[in-house]
Amino acid sequence: MSDWLDPFSTALQRGWLIEMAATGSRVWRLPSAPVDCLGFAESPRYGILLRDGGSTPITMSAGGIVVRPRSVAGDRWLEITANRNSRVDMMVWLAIDLTQGMAKHGSSANWLRDRLKAWSTLFRGGDSRSVLGLVGELIVLRWLAMTTPQGADVWHCWGGQERTRHDIVTPEQAFEVKTTTVRTGWRVHVNGLKQAIRAEGEPPLQFVLVRLEPAVEGGFRLCDLVADIPDSCLPGGSAFKDELREQGVFDTFRWNLLEARSHIVSPESPFLLSADFAADAQRKLDLIGDLSYSIELGGEVLTVLDLSIALPGTKS
């Protein structure tokens, strides 16, 4: 099977899409969709078709996703396509979310524009301030509050959505939280040569890797993760929640926690250090400022971590 069809093959296996036809362009039907919704693959792209019951005369885009009107056999549809770098798991979730919203709002251009604005926050690959990363950090914070001596005080050890050296720094340990929806492997994006090192005087550094899955029903939302957290414990107080509401992501998107892993950084850790570069390379690093990179962490350096106690509604 061609590589551009692999993601849809995965979606089929997971039951997210049901194959309808395999002639010409490959087309699938989304199960239990409240309005007509098809998936298609036309080399070298793939996408979603939603039956358009209203009128959407303009093309819109957000975070690598493009929505445009399309006529198919005389019927009006909305075509949603993704570039090759976009993840199909998020694409399918976007399609389900839009079908549910269109059943209530129709295909109003204003509604779609606002919805895509909210979705754009979910497609900022590698952005530590993205919603995906925020969800992972909140889960880890809840877990630390339940399992460490700091208790609720751990919330004051969090950098929030600001860019800080490490996500969470307690007196005993520093934490870097990396969150993904990719189904296999543990590929970590390291933001600079200093992110994966323990500086002199700093507590031990631990990477926590969190794997989430978009949930159509059930699961938990951002608002659930902070519902029982006093505003005084959140960066910016009540303004923290207000900003998420303004982005349209506070009580909208749902997630399932699939699994988590941890890795305590040591001299044997497989991360790049400044000392790994020769003198000539060091001078170039000084010119460019810093270097970000991705690394695949294998099971031999990872420890299984049970974060389920931290999920909303779970009793300790």
Side-chain angles (χ1 to χ4, degrees), residues 166 168-175 197-199 201-207 264-265:
H166 299 304
I168 306 164
V169 181
T170 73
E172 290 79 22
Q173 197 153 29
F175 296 87
I197 64 172
R198 174 187 177 186
E202 287 187 343
L205 174 61
Q206 180 173 351
F207 274 73
I264 298 177
V265 174

Side-chain angles (χ1 to χ4, degrees), residues 12-307:
L12 281 167
Q13 293 171 7
R14 298 199 56 223
W16 281 357
L17 299 173
I18 300 174
E19 187 167 5
M20 289 184 64
T23 59
S25 63
R26 298 170 63 93
V27 180
W28 294 270
R29 176 173 60 85
L30 280 165
S32 305
V35 297
D36 289 338
C37 181
L38 304 176
F40 70 90
E42 299 169 341
S43 179
R45 67 185 184 137
Y46 54 85
I48 301 291
L49 290 173
L50 303 180
R51 189 180 295 276
D52 184 6
S55 176
T56 309
I58 59 175
T59 295
M60 307 176 194
S61 63
I65 302 297
V66 178
V67 179
R68 59 170 62 87
R70 176 174 173 178
S71 177
V72 180
D75 293 331
R76 286 190 312 220
W77 294 76
L78 291 180
E79 177 190 273
I80 307 174
T81 54
N83 60 38
R84 292 172 64 98
N85 295 324
S86 295
R87 299 188 302 273
V88 166
D89 56 354
M90 302 294 277
M91 269 286 292
V92 173
W93 193 35
L94 167 63
I96 294 174
D97 179 64
L98 291 184
T99 61
Q100 293 174 336
M102 288 170 62
K104 181 183 298 184
H105 303 281
S107 52
S108 158
N110 288 336
W111 178 82
L112 275 175
R113 186 180 294 108
D114 291 342
R115 199 63 175 162
L116 288 176
K117 178 182 177 183
W119 269 95
S120 69
T121 64
L122 298 180
F123 283 87
R124 296 174 185 166
D127 188 342
S128 62
R129 294 170 295 178
S130 71
V131 172
L132 187 64
L134 178 59
V135 171
E137 290 176 27
L138 288 172
I139 292 173
V140 173
L141 282 162
R142 291 174 62 92
W143 173 71
L144 290 172
M146 295 177 179
T147 60
T148 63
Q150 282 82 23
D153 289 340
V154 76
W155 290 89
H156 300 295
C157 302
W158 180 38
Q161 292 179 283
E162 300 298 324
R163 291 189 181 277
T164 55
R165 180 178 173 84
H166 299 304
D167 296 324
I168 306 164
V169 181
T170 73
E172 290 79 22
Q173 197 153 29
F175 296 87
E176 276 297 327
V177 182
K178 302 294 183 179
T179 311
T180 184
T181 58
V182 176
R183 295 287 297 181
T184 59
W186 293 103
R187 178 165 290 275
V188 174
H189 183 80
V190 182
N191 298 307
L193 296 177
K194 297 180 180 179
Q195 190 179 54
I197 64 172
R198 174 187 177 186
E200 184 177 355
E202 287 187 343
L205 174 61
Q206 180 173 351
F207 274 73
V208 178
L209 314 180
V210 180
R211 196 186 313 276
L212 300 178
E213 173 186 60
V216 179
E217 297 178 349
F220 55 88
R221 301 164 296 172
L222 264 175
C223 61
D224 301 322
L225 291 174
V226 297
D228 55 351
I229 308 302
D231 288 348
S232 59
C233 292
L234 298 173
S238 61
F240 175 82
K241 299 176 182 178
D242 293 339
E243 181 179 349
L244 295 175
R245 290 190 184 95
E246 179 67 22
Q247 294 176 12
V249 298
F250 187 62
D251 57 0
T252 303
F253 305 119
R254 295 179 177 273
W255 312 87
N256 289 323
L257 172 65
L258 295 181
E259 57 181 334
R261 299 288 188 273
S262 69
H263 173 74
I264 298 177
V265 174
S266 71
E268 292 73 38
S269 295
F271 297 110
L272 288 176
L273 304 175
S274 296
D276 294 328
F277 295 87
D280 288 346
Q282 288 279 2
R283 285 192 289 271
K284 292 179 180 179
L285 283 174
D286 292 339
L287 290 174
I288 64 175
D290 211 341
L291 178 68
S292 297
Y293 62 96
S294 293
I295 184 172
E296 186 77 27
L297 294 180
E300 69 278 2
V301 299
L302 297 175
T303 301
V304 175
L305 192 62
D306 184 5
L307 299 179

